[in-house]
Amino acid sequence: MFSFNLPPEQNIKFLQQKKPKLSFNYDELMHEAHLKAFTIAKVTKLDLLSEIQDSLIKAQSEGKSFEVWKKEITPTLAQKGWLGRVEVTNEKTGEIKTINANNTRLKRIYNTNMRTANAQGRAKAQYALEGEIYLRYIALQDGLTRPSHLRMHGITLKREDKFWETNYPPNGWNCRCVVRAYSKEECERQGFSISQTPPLPIASKDWSYDKRGLSKDESLDSVLETKLEKFKKNPDKAHFVKSLNDTKADIAQVKQNYQAIKNLKLENLNGEVDRKFIPLAKTTQTLKNLLKTEAKEIYLSAETLKDHLEKHPNVGVMDYSLLPLIIRDANVYRIKESKENHIVYFSKAKNYYKAAIKTTEDKKEIFLLSLIKSSKKL
């Protein structure tokens, strides 16, 4: 048997790279999207979601048990009003549900995230092995394992077998199954029988997707397209589809921003432009109301970029590029008005941003005057 201790860095990286995504129901963010987005059903506050994610990353890196993690996260949950019996409102539909944020729910959150992180770390290590590799399904035989999973125990298939695409464990809620890797020589030495016919799929509906994180097309664009295709014909998902379309447009703008800012930075450093400016984001309704304008876009000037990249080295090209995502109405947590400009405070993922914004005298254009970032609330 190929023996290795999974590097925790792989598992930690898996949890860290997931972007917090609010969802009321689990199936709002299905399948491969869960590899890229950190979500917990019925957690509808981004700051709480981010704190839970941070606590799980810490637990993964320090090898904390569920009981230790629960003890440390409980005060935060209580402070945020997400402990015990909680009324949760779906901001998209107005639907109100009463849930019980109890030991069982917390254990599911902990186990789901730890096991999926461990599974992806294990899979990436196994698929990086050279030579002819076989994967063997291992189920715990303690009387608690599902019969369908138990019947899989000992089944050995080629690593490239399509069965693993949707049945690499975990294959259900609280599934504890794992896969071990063997070389051809090790299989022969152990006397393992190689299955020539793939078994029937065993993954439950919520887990029937590729959990290995090996897909060549792992772009967020691909995830969004898949989700749009799934929901666009369902009238009950109209609001969700609109949200996804908005997200697609914002991501396209982020990509465009990144290249435009790099070009602007290069031109500015070369002293070729000083008064040139580029559009960064569509103006949100909150900003329109605040600034009393109908201006459709927020601009960034070369002069501002040059000045603030020097003054605030922790705010880079990517931060400015992400403005369409940062300034969303849901991220605004404080607004400070002044005669000359307006300062708006945003929280996005694990960062806090302070943006100074100003309109031209005729109110027809909006400019970003500064962007400050901090890991603590500003």
Side-chain angles (χ1 to χ4, degrees), residues 30-269:
M30 286 294 288
H31 299 164
E32 283 83 352
H34 283 282
L35 297 179
K36 301 168 187 67
F38 179 81
T39 187
I40 296 173
K42 308 301 185 290
V43 174
T44 56
K45 294 180 180 178
L46 192 59
D47 59 342
L48 173 58
L49 190 63
S50 296
E51 290 198 46
I52 294 175
Q53 181 183 22
D54 290 345
S55 72
L56 288 167
I57 291 169
K58 186 177 180 183
Q60 176 70 248
S61 62
E62 297 177 7
K64 293 178 181 177
S65 66
F66 164 70
E67 292 300 332
V68 173
W69 172 76
K70 181 181 74 170
K71 183 178 179 180
E72 292 183 353
I73 193 64
T74 295
T76 298
L77 299 178
Q79 181 185 6
K80 301 287 186 180
W82 206 80
L83 192 65
R85 292 183 67 79
V86 180
E87 277 195 356
V88 183
T89 303
N90 187 337
E91 295 182 359
K92 299 171 186 175
T93 64
E95 177 189 4
I96 298 176
K97 281 189 177 181
T98 300
I99 66 163
N100 196 0
N102 56 9
N103 189 75
T104 300
R105 185 176 287 267
L106 292 180
K107 197 160 194 175
R108 173 174 282 195
I109 291 170
Y110 175 89
N111 286 340
T112 298
N113 283 279
M114 293 302 172
R115 287 170 184 167
T116 51
N118 290 338
Q120 188 173 102
R122 181 179 293 110
K124 288 192 173 181
Q126 291 170 341
Y127 280 80
L129 295 173
E130 296 182 358
E132 192 171 342
I133 303 298
Y134 294 82
L135 300 182
R136 186 173 176 85
Y137 200 100
I138 306 297
L140 290 183
Q141 303 177 69
D142 59 2
L144 300 176
T145 302
R146 297 169 177 82
S148 59
H149 294 200
L150 193 58
R151 286 192 292 271
M152 278 295 301
H153 181 72
I155 296 294
T156 307
L157 298 162
K158 285 185 176 181
R159 179 175 55 181
E160 293 74 27
D161 198 294
K162 287 190 174 295
F163 175 80
W164 301 118
E165 290 181 4
T166 52
N167 294 277
Y168 191 100
N171 284 314
W173 297 108
N174 296 319
C175 172
R176 299 165 297 159
C177 301
V178 297
V179 164
R180 292 178 184 164
Y182 295 83
S183 68
K184 182 179 180 181
E185 293 74 18
E186 287 169 333
C187 287
E188 292 173 351
R189 190 162 56 247
Q190 296 276 358
F192 293 154
S193 174
I194 309 301
S195 300
Q196 301 302 315
T197 304
L200 293 174
I202 62 167
S204 62
K205 178 184 175 182
D206 288 342
W207 294 85
S208 184
Y209 66 96
D210 195 340
K211 300 169 285 287
R212 301 168 299 174
L214 305 172
S215 173
K216 292 181 180 179
D217 186 4
E218 291 186 343
S219 67
L220 189 55
D221 289 341
S222 175
V223 175
L224 293 173
E225 286 295 343
T226 301
K227 288 157 67 63
L228 279 171
E229 189 63 30
K230 177 180 176 64
F231 293 123
K232 67 182 181 182
K233 295 181 181 178
N234 186 342
D236 295 333
K237 298 288 184 179
H239 187 24
F240 187 46
V241 170
K242 182 183 182 303
S243 175
L244 284 177
N245 276 318
D246 290 344
T247 298
K248 278 185 65 182
D250 286 343
I251 289 171
Q253 183 67 50
V254 168
K255 292 178 180 178
Q256 181 178 316
N257 287 349
Y258 187 74
Q259 191 57 53
I261 293 171
K262 283 179 66 178
N263 293 340
L264 192 63
K265 182 181 175 183
L266 180 62
E267 291 178 44
N268 202 16
L269 290 176

Side-chain angles (χ1 to χ4, degrees), residues 300-352:
L300 172 69
S301 72
E303 187 177 7
T304 295
L305 181 66
K306 179 182 179 180
D307 182 48
H308 284 272
L309 285 177
E310 293 174 357
K311 288 183 178 178
H312 305 289
N314 72 319
V315 180
V317 172
M318 183 52 73
D319 294 294
Y320 284 98
S321 301
L322 289 171
L323 197 70
L325 302 176
I326 293 172
I327 67 168
R328 286 181 172 180
D329 290 345
N331 297 336
V332 176
Y333 69 86
R334 187 152 63 97
I335 296 173
K336 181 179 177 182
E337 296 187 46
S338 68
K339 291 181 179 179
E340 295 183 357
N341 56 60
H342 294 74
I343 297 173
V344 188
Y345 297 81
F346 305 93
S347 62
K348 177 64 180 172
K350 294 181 288 185
N351 292 313
Y352 294 93

